[in-house]
């Protein structure tokens, strides 16, 4: 989850790796200077018979080696730590687990509604035939009352046949019926009825 994120410059040319390289460079310089000065002082103490100079030379040599070891271990620790990846810095319980998304199959493969505009069809269906199509598509859920004239019917067919010839509406989709009530008070009245298929 955190891999690839560099919040504090853990990697890169100006990050902790650069600091580690600086420590390693300082280690080499200190080792060289400490060893050189220690060896010269120890050798001059031995040559002149001065045990004090020889002892101080050995101490300088030991301090140079010890300082180089300490700085080298710090640089190595930084290099090792910055190569772990930032996800390793998270507690085990906070690390991301595996997420499984269970997708249900689509209710229909048709993306457009099938439309029957009964008044524009040739040959034109009788009233009884229109009511039969409405019953078949809505599975009997949409009713056509007395004095009502079926105008249009819209639905989403199921399966691969998305034409108006497929009268099986897909589950979970909506069937829309438009009728004219010719017996309505005050003249004809248009009504739209909808039903969601189970």
């Amino acid at each position: 989850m955190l891999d690839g994120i560099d919040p504090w410059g853990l990697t890169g040319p100006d990050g902790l790796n650069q600091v580690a390289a600086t420590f390693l460079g300082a280690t080499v310089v200190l080792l060289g200077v400490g060893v050189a000065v220690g060896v010269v002082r120890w050798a001059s103490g031995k040559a002149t018979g001065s045990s004090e100079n020889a002892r101080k030379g050995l101490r300088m040599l030991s301090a140079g080696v010890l300082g180089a070891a300490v700085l080298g271990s710090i640089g190595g620790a930084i290099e090792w730590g910055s190569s772990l990846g930032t996800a390793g810095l998270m507690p085990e319980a906070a690390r991301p687990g595996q997420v499984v998304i269970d997708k249900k199959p689509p209710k229909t493969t048709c993306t457009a509604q099938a439309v029957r505009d009964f008044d524009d069809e040739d040959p034109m269906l009788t009233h009884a035939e229109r009511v039969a199509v409405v019953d078949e598509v809505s599975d009997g859920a949409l009713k056509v009352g007395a004095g009502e004239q079926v105008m249009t019917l819209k639905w989403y067919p199921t399966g691969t046949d998305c034409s108006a010839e497929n009268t099986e509406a897909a589950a979970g989709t909506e069937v829309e019926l438009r009728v004219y009530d010719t017996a309505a008070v005050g003249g004809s009245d248009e009504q739209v009825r909808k039903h969601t298929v189970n």
Side-chain angles (χ1 to χ4, degrees):
M1 178 175 182
L2 293 178
D3 284 331
I5 298 175
D6 188 15
W8 304 294
L10 291 178
T11 58
D14 297 325
L16 287 179
N17 287 337
Q18 184 66 33
V19 175
T22 303
F23 273 111
L24 290 174
T27 300
V28 171
V29 171
L30 282 177
L31 179 61
V33 170
V35 168
V37 171
V39 167
V40 167
R41 194 158 189 188
W42 175 76
S44 68
K46 283 289 189 183
T48 59
S50 171
S51 61
E52 184 67 24
N53 261 351
R55 199 173 331 114
K56 286 184 181 178
L58 279 177
R59 274 195 221 138
M60 286 183 79
L61 180 62
S62 301
V65 171
L66 182 63
V70 169
L71 285 177
S73 65
I74 291 173
I78 291 173
E79 176 71 30
W80 174 77
S82 67
S83 66
L84 286 178
T86 48
L89 301 174
M90 297 176 70
E92 185 67 35
R95 291 182 186 158
Q98 185 176 3
V99 177
V100 177
I101 299 174
D102 187 18
K103 290 186 177 180
K104 294 182 178 178
K107 293 181 168 69
T108 180
T109 56
C110 300
T111 57
Q113 286 182 313
V115 179
R116 293 286 300 264
D117 192 346
F118 294 105
D119 286 343
D120 290 341
E121 291 182 354
D122 186 28
M124 194 176 290
L125 298 181
T126 66
H127 177 72
E129 290 172 329
R130 294 181 188 193
V131 172
V133 173
V134 171
D135 281 344
E136 189 174 353
V137 171
S138 68
D139 204 18
L142 293 175
K143 301 294 182 189
V144 179
E148 293 179 338
Q149 183 179 359
V150 178
M151 305 304 293
T152 61
L153 184 65
K154 299 178 182 179
W155 72 98
Y156 287 95
T158 187
T160 56
D161 180 10
C162 298
S163 71
E165 300 300 319
N166 183 357
T167 57
E168 183 181 352
T173 62
E174 192 173 71
V175 178
E176 180 184 305
L177 169 67
R178 186 170 60 94
V179 298
Y180 278 125
D181 186 354
T182 56
V185 178
S188 62
D189 181 30
E190 181 180 331
Q191 295 180 9
V192 176
R193 298 177 188 149
K194 296 182 179 181
H195 167 69
T196 301
V197 180
N198 294 329

